[in-house]
């Protein structure tokens, strides 16, 4: 008798119907400080920020935050900023998603505080960031027009550098980029039932 | 008189119609060896592999390879393997895409050699890899079923570890994972006009 395998089905999900009924944003992210003391930098940053507004899980594949979009972006930005060293080349790879039909109302914090937990501590933190990102509106026929409108706003803001193969290249201060992605997220929530975005930020790249 | 801005439109693209007429696969990737000699490791790997079967471009946002799917995956795997050090924690973040309506028949090499350029040199290279990945079939209504079928094949192969929030976690030898993603790519080309996948591989993560 062969062993019965446990296959995935993603529930009784159907496009256009988020699996979670609550307004949960998920961010999977990974910091990679290219220095011998990477553990100290990553663990120090994870400990320094205030995660009281998000659900968190860290393992060898990085960290997951789940909660309100504003709180999730605030927590990831805090982690990035607290890991930043002026002399260390570092990447932050993050995958944000919302409305996945396979998601569930589990593993989340939805804070009722108006203000994200780390906003105050971050307001004077500034450093330049290079960024590549891709937006994936799922289950929509008109997704390329939606993406173009969103990218064009980065041109208005002066953050757009170029259209690369398979993604868009931006450059700006860390606050400008996170503010833009907050705006992008709002646009996507208004227009797409399920979407994901992949954002890679780079600091202190050697010339 | 205000300056006229150059907005993006992604041409006259429409979902279901790839912008490039040729069978071009794009991979944007970034290696992050977490060690003081990261530049030596990355540049050494980029120089060691044979890139004669792919179009390549490297800048501060990483490297792009464009060509046949088999050659692109071969080149990325060679770069990863040649950067691998048994004592260095490293991530490889790669974004693969095919069939984008905004793509063009430019910046590519389509080799006519049956065998990928680095296959022979890699056949005895083995190391364990942790992996998180996400698949995005664009412009399709039935995408969640398509994703589940593809993930279930990783269960059959013994590579599946768990379904994380917003992605799937795999573990296996570097060859097993690249073989699986070659199979995934073939399945996607047969079923989806436009798709992208985001794959993050991790080696030597501290416990």
């Amino acid at each position: 008798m062969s062993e019965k395998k446990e296959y995935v089905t993603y529930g009784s999900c159907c496009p256009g119907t988020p699996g979670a009924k609550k307004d949960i944003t998920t961010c999977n992210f990974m910091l990679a400080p290219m220095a011998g003391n990477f553990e100290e930098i990553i663990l120090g940053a994870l400990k320094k920020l205030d995660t009281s507004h998000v659900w968190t899980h860290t393992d060898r594949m990085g960290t997951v935050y789940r909660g309100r979009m504003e709180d999730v972006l605030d927590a990831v930005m805090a982690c990035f900023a607290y890991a930043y060293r002026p002399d260390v080349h570092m990447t932050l790879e993050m995958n944000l998603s919302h409305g996945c039909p396979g998601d569930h109302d589990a593993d989340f914090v939805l804070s009722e505080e108006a203000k994200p937990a780390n906003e105050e501590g971050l307001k004077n933190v500034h450093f330049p960031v290079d960024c590549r990102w891709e937006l994936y509106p799922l289950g929509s026929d008109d997704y390329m027009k939606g993406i173009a409108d969103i990218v064009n706003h980065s041109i208005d803001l002066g953050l757009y550098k170029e259209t690369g193969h398979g993604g868009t290249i931006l450059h700006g201060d860390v606050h400008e980029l996170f503010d833009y992605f907050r705006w992008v997220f709002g646009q996507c929530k208004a227009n797409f039932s399920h979407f994901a975005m992949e954002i890679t930020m780079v600091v202190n790249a050697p010339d």
Side-chain angles (χ1 to χ4, degrees), chain A:
Chain A
M1 232 173 80
S2 68
E3 190 193 352
K4 193 173 174 302
K5 282 177 184 151
E6 296 268 344
Y7 286 117
V8 299
T9 60
Y10 303 127
S12 55
C13 67
C14 59
T17 308
K21 301 306 162 209
K22 295 188 185 290
D23 187 10
I24 304 169
T25 293
T26 300
C27 184
N28 279 279
F29 72 97
M30 207 180 281
L31 285 169
M34 283 168 249
N37 62 338
F38 68 90
E39 271 193 272
E40 180 195 319
I41 293 175
I42 297 171
L43 298 178
L46 285 170
K47 272 176 211 157
K48 189 169 171 185
L49 81 148
D50 182 339
T51 55
S52 60
H53 291 195
V54 292
W55 178 87
T56 90
H57 173 77
T58 295
D59 62 20
R60 58 203 292 126
M61 293 311 298
T63 294
V64 185
Y65 290 153
R66 278 167 59 87
R68 279 193 316 182
M69 176 265 281
E70 295 82 356
D71 290 316
V72 166
L73 284 175
D74 169 80
V76 178
M77 181 177 157
C79 197
F80 187 41
Y82 294 147
Y84 179 84
R85 303 283 183 282
D87 56 347
V88 174
H89 176 34
M90 177 171 69
T91 61
L92 165 67
E93 177 265 305
M94 59 175 147
N95 184 279
L96 285 152
S97 60
H98 190 273
C100 180
D103 198 6
H104 300 281
D105 283 325
D107 301 340
F108 66 89
V109 170
L110 287 175
S111 165
E112 290 181 1
E113 305 274 335
K115 205 170 173 174
N118 299 283
E119 195 178 283
E120 196 62 26
L122 291 173
K123 67 181 185 191
N124 296 318
V125 175
H126 295 283
F127 52 87
V129 177
D130 290 301
C131 178
R132 191 189 84 223
W133 81 291
E134 295 93 21
L135 174 60
Y136 302 115
L138 281 308
S140 160
D141 272 353
D142 201 25
Y143 63 100
M144 290 301 293
K145 172 71 167 62
I147 296 173
D149 290 346
I150 283 168
V151 169
N152 285 331
H153 188 57
S154 71
I155 296 176
D156 288 335
L157 295 170
L159 299 173
Y160 175 88
K161 210 170 142 195
E162 62 182 319
T163 295
H165 287 293
T168 302
I169 312 296
L170 307 176
H171 179 84
D173 179 75
V174 63
H175 277 280
E176 293 176 317
L177 289 173
F178 274 88
D179 285 348
Y180 171 61
F181 289 121
R182 204 173 292 117
W183 176 87
V184 168
F185 218 93
Q187 292 296 109
C188 288
K189 273 173 68 169
N191 291 298
F192 306 117
S193 167
H194 178 196
F195 59 93
M197 55 187 93
E198 177 66 33
I199 304 170
T200 306
M201 295 190 172
V202 179
V203 294
N204 304 319
D207 287 318

